[in-house]
Amino acid sequence: MDRARVGELGAERLDWRFKALPAAAWGLTVREYLATGPTLDEFGTPLLTLDAGALDHNLRAMAAWCERAGVRLAPHGKTTMAPALWQAQLDAGAWGITLANLPQLRVARAFGVQRVLLANTLLDPAGLAWLAGELDTDPEFDCISWVDSVAAVKLIDQALRAAGAERPMEVLVELGGPGGRTGARDLATALAVAAAVAEAPTLRLAGLGGYEGALAHDSTPASLAAVEAYLARLVELHDRLRADGSLTGDTGEVIVTAGGSAYFDQVARVLAPLGRTGTSVVLRSGAYLVHDDGFYRAISPLVRGAAGEPLRSAMHGWARVVSRPEPALALLDGGKRDFPYDEGLPTPQLTRSGRPVTGTVTAVNDQHAFLRESDAEVGEVVRLGLSHPCTAFDKWTLIPVLDDAEAAHPRVVNLVRTFF
């Protein structure tokens, strides 16, 4: 990445655009405000925070795990859309950054990301023309996209020809599965897509891609078996393409990529042996950096028994009790616009003073959470455990990083800027 461009984020002026930021910070740059030694107590509610120690732990734990497993990591940048966190991941040894669409890719290029896995099929002619220009003008920039049909290959080829592309765009044949998301549903279709790529002068077949997380959503034996069967088909496709000469590595690296944040242990176990053929296996886990107190806490391989240090939740929500209209009901001032709810509702943990809080969040509105059977009193600030970082970060443009979320008065040691 362009480290200087990331560093420029410290010069951004703070103002009313950033919710929960105290008015005392307005007019100061990020660096100037951090130099005042702000604490959590100065921020309003609702609020999303990150924990510096947990972030550092997760960075090191995942990097060490990938090294032992013999796989590379291109973390999915869509989880945070935070260039400063991407930089930290690259500094920890990440091979590249994964992204999902053209707007995200443009953010990455604005911050000088030099290796991107675009885990999607880019068909927009204007977007392809822009990407062709990026590739032609920057020989150090690598962008590897996906295709899953002959029709898509033809459309991409036509758009790149029309744009006058000089440098072939690298693509991966995407293999899907029944009931999954995108991706060729059978090996015959995938092989036909690979053949079409070979015939398109504007494209180069760089390998295979897929997403096992679309086929399962828990760690039951049936789900793990579905993931295993899918990965076996990915290996079979790789071996077929290696055998017929479609994947030789003569014109560049051969890549097989899978592995979200839920089943990366299975992916590494099944795919890592492909390294003996010269193929690079790349995981795309993105949620590991932030982790959570819900979905990923329950399903992460490093919780389910895979060797390695367990990950720690680095994010918390903070919301204030603003009403107790009924004896068993407290209303918090944070809701759907502030905290994730698609993979489980927030869970109360502590008050800001450190007192454990009882009760259960049973529903959320746009701006409120319904906390029932709780001892939280009007005016108290409650720390919330959250589930699913992808839908937490997209609600915040500036996220305070605390030195220690468990401390009595945590200090704010950084402010992470996001670009959704």
Side-chain angles (χ1 to χ4, degrees), residues 77-353:
K78 73 175 176 64
T79 300
T80 66
M81 288 306 295
L85 296 181
W86 296 349
Q87 181 72 72
Q89 291 171 304
L90 291 167
D91 288 347
W95 175 82
I97 297 294
T98 297
L99 297 167
N101 58 31
L102 184 64
Q104 294 172 11
L105 179 57
R106 285 177 166 155
V107 173
R109 289 305 288 158
F111 286 88
V113 177
Q114 290 295 85
R115 182 183 285 127
V116 172
L117 277 179
L118 188 63
N120 211 335
T121 300
L122 179 58
L123 292 180
D124 172 21
L128 285 165
W130 172 81
L131 178 56
E134 292 290 300
L135 290 168
D136 289 344
T137 57
D138 185 355
E140 300 299 317
F141 173 46
D142 292 322
C143 181
I144 306 171
S145 187
W146 290 10
V147 288
D148 70 352
S149 68
V150 172
V153 171
K154 291 180 178 178
L155 289 171
I156 295 171
D157 182 49
Q158 290 171 6
L160 292 176
R161 287 172 184 257
E166 299 174 4
R167 181 178 163 195
M169 189 173 87
E170 295 186 305
V171 295
L172 307 178
V173 173
E174 182 190 1
L175 183 68
R181 204 165 56 189
T182 53
R185 291 303 196 251
D186 55 71
L187 296 184
T189 301
L191 291 168
V193 175
V197 172
E199 295 174 1
T202 61
L203 301 177
R204 184 187 84 82
L205 181 61
L208 311 174
Y211 178 50
E212 76 291 340
L215 306 176
H217 203 67
D218 53 43
S219 57
T220 61
S223 291
L224 297 179
V227 170
E228 196 84 5
Y230 167 74
L231 295 172
R233 291 173 60 238
L234 199 59
V235 171
E236 182 180 356
L237 178 58
H238 168 272
D239 292 346
R240 292 275 295 273
L241 291 171
R242 276 287 194 185
D244 70 15
S246 299
L247 290 176
T248 64
D250 292 342
T251 57
E253 189 171 20
V254 174
I255 294 167
V256 173
T257 177
S261 297
Y263 306 104
F264 56 79
D265 57 334
Q266 284 180 276
V267 172
R269 177 173 51 78
V270 176
L271 299 187
L274 298 180
R276 292 194 292 266
T277 68
T279 293
S280 297
V281 176
V282 181
L283 303 184
R284 302 190 310 279
S285 311
Y288 78 91
L289 176 61
V290 178
H291 199 50
D292 69 11
D293 280 311
F295 176 70
Y296 286 115
R297 183 181 65 178
I299 202 172
S300 168
L302 296 180
V303 174
R304 290 190 282 108
E309 293 185 76
L311 302 174
R312 292 161 46 187
S313 178
M315 67 174 179
H316 297 95
W318 304 83
R320 194 180 309 269
V321 179
V322 293
S323 176
R324 288 202 62 117
E326 301 170 10
L329 174 63
L331 277 299
L332 305 178
D333 65 356
K336 293 180 180 180
R337 300 292 179 89
D338 311 295
F339 307 129
Y341 57 92
D342 58 317
E343 293 288 0
L345 295 174
T347 56
Q349 296 178 333
L350 305 166
T351 66
R352 187 169 284 183
S353 63

